[in-house]
Amino acid sequence: MKLLVAKSAGFCFGVKRAIDMAIEAAKKYPKNLYTLGPLIHNPQAVKFLEQLGVKVKNRIENIPKGKVIFRSHGVSLKDLEKAREKRLHIIDATCPIVKKAQFFAKYLYRHGYTVLIVGDPHHPEVEAIQSYIKDRVEVVGDVELVQRSGPWEKLGIIAQTTQSFNLFKGIVTASLEKAKEVRVFNTVCHATMIRQKEAVEIAKQVECMIVIGGYNSGNTQRLAAICREIQPHTHHIETAQELNPRWLSRREKIGLTAGASTPLWIIKEVEGRIRDLEGSRN
Amino acid sequence: MKLLVAKSAGFCFGVKRAIDMAIEAAKKYPKNLYTLGPLIHNPQAVKFLEQLGVKVKNRIENIPKGKVIFRSHGVSLKDLEKAREKRLHIIDATCPIVKKAQFFAKYLYRHGYTVLIVGDPHHPEVEAIQSYIKDRVEVVGDVELVQRSGPWEKLGIIAQTTQSFNLFKGIVTASLEKAKEVRVFNTVCHATMIRQKEAVEIAKQVECMIVIGGYNSGNTQRLAAICREIQPHTHHIETAQELNPRWLSRREKIGLTAGASTPLWIIKEVEGRIRDLEGSRN
């Protein structure tokens, strides 16, 4: 059996930076250190941080005092204002690419564009981006929605940073029939594009594809969906324990990738377990 | 036999306006009236104007004095300057939508964008648009060219007004992989989009498609190419005399459309001849 492991699997720059900042903060401030919502969408990594003293609170109202870490997905304008009012010490671990998307959204809005955010309306990153714009903003997750919307005079388009690049392209293409001017800032992050492309390449070659990452991780869900389109035998797992040996039996080639918030230790564990199963087979 | 005639066949607003301006000018100025290049890309219509006294000169150097009509495709910056230097009386019949494309090209250039013009580099409209920009401008007629070009920081895209809307969409989509910001002004004119869509709809239903228009007319050539993709029995003709009865024999459904510069009298002549052939068949 051959195992193809994606080079691009696992932590992206933004997630790595957020984790590093949280670990540094935990060293410096042993007490009253919080993140607003999980720092990244990986329960195992969040648990690890909790062991270092980083507590998760889902609402700013539940943070009495101390330090608050803004997670990689960013925070809404309301939460930012509340944190300032409460005079919390802010450690901003928002991914710089997400910050850019927020900046472009505000820029487009200020310049009179209706802003289309290509993404999942319930994802915290998208909710945060949207919160900086008062009106003239729509979140679109499929091409049909664009075909039913508009027309617009001036349309600005940005994307949730971990969105499917193909969806982004499809929505831009559809919007050309609906607006006289379309101004696009490609905010799909490079790491996401590379990860999706590599996953497609691997999925084409294998008989079974394993995608590792939090079930609450949008980018991992999309990665699995992209692989599944090519290889129906695609399984999304969160930990090595979930690996089902039956998936791998009689497969000659297995593919492995992981979302942007999946720690290397979990990827290595899954990889090891697959190789163990292979060993026991011979 | 059933004949489906496109409602959108024939003169668009810009061509109609140019012809009206030329006829008015011919009434007012019986002498020394010239167009710089053919007013529109239809030899029959140009001949008709010549009979009214509107002479065609291909170079501004060959116009000694008098009035010059700028044709629907617009003129280059150089020709504009020469006409002014010679103190010719200018009658500007440039299509307003072409003017808009020229404006957006200059606007994008001034704001630091590299300008991509989706079009035919040898078409006078494209040559004129391009002449207003010093550098940072490329004319692209196919998607592959974009895939081989770039990358760009800021990319502005406009189109020759009569281009294929599908090509325009394809080039915008491809450019998203090549530029951080893509700013698109859709300058494909509405009449062109409607004409292409209707031609596709008709071509799907018929066994033979007739497309009428000047052989030098880019938009008619593209219209024929679009129809041919769907119905290989597509014939591009310039006049009714060219209609070959064999094309129509044993066809139950015939489609008919015409480019933006095709006069109604030619369309009616072709239509009449098809009905005559049908009559003689019964």
Side-chain angles (χ1 to χ4, degrees), chain A residues 177-190:
Chain A
E177 307 209 21
K178 294 291 197 160
K180 288 188 186 156
E181 182 190 345
V182 179
R183 191 165 178 185
V184 188
F185 290 100
N186 179 1
T187 56
V188 176
C189 90
H190 198 67

Side-chain angles (χ1 to χ4, degrees), chain B:
Chain B
M1 188 198 63
K2 206 172 165 184
L3 181 63
L4 302 181
V5 184
K7 285 195 195 81
S8 58
F11 281 2
C12 63
F13 153 77
V15 165
K16 204 176 164 332
R17 179 174 167 274
I19 298 261
D20 287 347
M21 285 175 81
I23 292 173
E24 276 308 301
K27 280 187 208 160
K28 226 164 145 182
Y29 313 111
K31 280 203 300 185
N32 297 326
L33 180 60
Y34 305 91
T35 64
L36 184 59
L39 186 75
I40 62 171
H41 276 156
N42 186 278
Q44 291 72 34
V46 169
K47 208 172 167 189
F48 163 79
L49 289 172
E50 271 174 354
Q51 286 161 355
L52 299 182
V54 186
K55 292 183 253 324
V56 180
K57 294 284 178 194
N58 282 316
R59 301 185 61 205
I60 209 117
E61 286 80 357
N62 300 338
I63 302 177
K65 60 174 182 169
K67 286 90 195 163
V68 60
I69 307 175
F70 287 165
R71 59 177 163 178
S72 54
H73 312 107
V75 292
S76 70
L77 182 60
K78 226 174 227 167
D79 282 335
L80 176 64
E81 284 169 349
K82 279 186 204 160
R84 281 179 180 160
E85 268 171 38
K86 288 188 105 166
R87 297 182 183 276
L88 296 173
H89 175 109
I90 293 169
I91 298 160
D92 189 357
T94 306
C95 166
I97 303 169
V98 173
K99 279 256 176 190
K100 242 188 197 171
Q102 290 177 353
F103 170 82
F104 288 135
K106 286 183 270 187
Y107 175 91
L108 287 166
Y109 179 76
R110 267 206 318 275
H111 286 79
Y113 294 83
T114 294
V115 180
L116 230 59
I117 306 171
V118 178
D120 169 4
H122 305 299
H123 192 281
E125 179 189 323
V126 174
E127 286 174 337
I129 294 173
Q130 207 179 351
S131 75
Y132 292 91
I133 310 175
K134 279 192 213 101
D135 47 18
R136 286 193 275 112
V137 57
E138 291 178 41
V139 180
V140 284
D142 62 75
V143 173
E144 286 73 29
L145 202 59
V146 179
Q147 285 162 342
R148 289 199 306 271
S149 305
W152 303 280
E153 274 293 314
K154 294 174 72 175
L155 187 67
I157 307 183
I158 58 164
Q160 183 181 355
T161 58
T162 57
Q163 259 306 319
S164 148
F165 188 61
N166 273 342
L167 175 66
F168 180 63
K169 287 202 288 189
I171 283 175
V172 170
T173 308
S175 76
L176 293 172
E177 306 208 24
K178 295 291 198 160
K180 288 190 186 156
E181 181 191 346
V182 178
R183 192 166 179 184
V184 188
F185 290 99
N186 179 2
T187 56
V188 176
C189 90
H190 199 65
T192 298
M193 286 168 66
I194 300 277
R195 183 180 292 109
Q196 289 172 357
K197 272 193 180 173
E198 199 187 2
V200 165
E201 284 314 307
I202 293 179
K204 279 181 191 164
Q205 300 172 53
V206 299
E207 295 145 87
C208 172
M209 191 79 196
I210 307 293
V211 181
I212 320 165
Y215 290 125
N216 58 347
S217 156
N219 85 80
T220 310
Q221 286 167 18
R222 271 185 296 282
L223 200 58
I226 289 167
C227 292
R228 200 167 285 123
E229 271 181 32
I230 292 157
Q231 176 47 267
H233 297 291
T234 292
H235 306 279
H236 175 181
I237 59 173
E238 211 174 77
T239 63
Q241 288 70 38
E242 294 166 24
L243 197 73
N244 187 335
R246 275 186 301 170
W247 296 339
L248 313 177
S249 70
R250 282 184 306 222
R251 307 287 186 206
E252 281 313 309
K253 267 191 172 177
I254 313 281
L256 188 66
T257 188
S261 44
T262 311
L264 189 61
W265 87 74
I266 299 183
I267 303 172
K268 286 289 169 202
E269 214 183 332
V270 173
E271 201 183 325
R273 193 165 280 226
I274 294 173
R275 294 200 194 280
D276 285 352
L277 284 167
E278 164 64 4
S280 68
R281 217 206 275 180
N282 295 333

Side-chain angles (χ1 to χ4, degrees), chain A residues 138-158:
Chain A
E138 291 178 40
V139 180
V140 284
D142 61 74
V143 173
E144 286 73 29
L145 203 58
V146 179
Q147 285 162 342
R148 288 199 307 270
S149 304
W152 304 280
E153 274 292 315
K154 294 174 70 174
L155 187 67
I157 307 183
I158 58 165

Side-chain angles (χ1 to χ4, degrees), chain A residues 145-218:
Chain A
L145 203 58
V146 179
Q147 285 162 342
R148 288 199 307 270
S149 304
W152 304 280
E153 274 292 315
K154 294 174 70 174
L155 187 67
I157 307 183
I158 58 165
Q160 184 181 355
T161 59
T162 57
Q163 259 305 321
S164 149
F165 188 60
N166 274 342
L167 175 66
F168 180 62
K169 286 202 288 189
I171 283 175
V172 170
T173 308
S175 76
L176 293 173
E177 307 209 21
K178 294 291 197 160
K180 288 188 186 156
E181 182 190 345
V182 179
R183 191 165 178 185
V184 188
F185 290 100
N186 179 1
T187 56
V188 176
C189 90
H190 198 67
T192 298
M193 285 168 67
I194 299 278
R195 184 181 291 107
Q196 289 172 357
K197 272 194 180 172
E198 199 187 2
V200 165
E201 283 314 306
I202 293 178
K204 279 180 191 164
Q205 300 173 51
V206 299
E207 296 144 85
C208 171
M209 191 79 196
I210 307 292
V211 181
I212 320 164
Y215 291 124
N216 57 347
S217 157

